[in-house]
Amino acid sequence: MIDGYSPGAWGAFFLAAAGATAALSGLIFVGLSVNIRTVLNTEKRDGQNFLTGRALEALAALLIVLVISLVGLTPGIPRWALSTFILLTGLGSATSPVRALLASRQQAAIGLPLVLRLVTAAGLTVTLLLGGVTLATGHGGGLYWLPVAFVLAIVIAAINAWVLLVEVLR
């Protein structure tokens, strides 16, 4: 039986997440390289790193999923070790909503797109922290929080990739 507190039982989930996010990370790099001149010229003109910041957010979100998945695949990893790693990764992910908020203040752009960006970034952080805490305590869901976090990370990456590939050319 699979439960939310046995990392070994989640191998297939971690394997699928690692493969998918590794591939998506590569696509972000390729997509960015297609428009890199436009991105850099826009940032030079505007005097801010809004677009490269979006690329960083996309990659960071995907790499969070990738590294948690790889650590989760470690044979015989103790629950406390995985929960500690998830917690530390969740704390690190808190930089994304802060970056989004700072970027929006520079652009004076407050609206639905910013709210959605902040909610998804904060949601990723919160679900990772909940996953780490509940895995450590053995109550409240444990690893069942990770699918939510991983989907949020992919949504963050997809939205930022869209901005870098399409919106930058408008």
Side-chain angles (χ1 to χ4, degrees):
M1 177 174 152
I2 295 177
D3 67 37
Y5 309 100
S6 302
W10 287 71
F13 172 75
F14 287 135
L15 189 61
T21 55
L24 291 171
S25 296
L27 289 174
I28 297 288
F29 275 110
V30 169
L32 182 59
S33 68
V34 168
N35 289 332
I36 192 68
R37 189 171 316 277
T38 304
V39 167
L40 294 176
N41 287 340
T42 301
E43 291 194 344
K44 187 176 183 180
R45 182 190 71 227
D46 295 346
Q48 55 186 331
N49 66 346
F50 175 73
L51 294 172
T52 53
R54 296 292 290 250
L56 179 62
E57 285 177 30
L59 286 172
L62 293 173
L63 292 176
I64 284 168
V65 175
L66 179 60
V67 298
I68 289 173
S69 296
L70 292 176
V71 171
L73 284 168
T74 304
I77 188 167
R79 191 173 85 184
W80 67 266
L82 182 56
S83 64
T84 301
F85 189 79
I86 293 169
L87 280 168
L88 292 173
T89 306
L91 289 172
S93 77
T95 60
S96 186
V98 171
R99 284 184 51 80
L101 189 58
L102 292 175
S104 70
R105 294 179 85 197
Q106 289 176 343
Q107 288 194 321
I110 307 245
L112 184 60
L114 172 63
V115 170
L116 292 175
R117 186 175 174 197
L118 291 172
V119 167
T120 54
L124 174 59
T125 299
V126 168
T127 53
L128 288 171
L129 294 175
L130 284 169
V133 167
T134 61
L135 179 60
T137 62
H139 301 299
L143 295 173
Y144 282 108
W145 286 102
L146 291 186
V148 177
F150 289 9
V151 167
L152 286 170
I154 291 168
V155 167
I156 289 167
I159 290 169
N160 285 324
W162 179 265
V163 168
L164 292 165
L165 291 171
V166 175
E167 297 298 323
V168 71
L169 298 176
R170 287 185 189 216

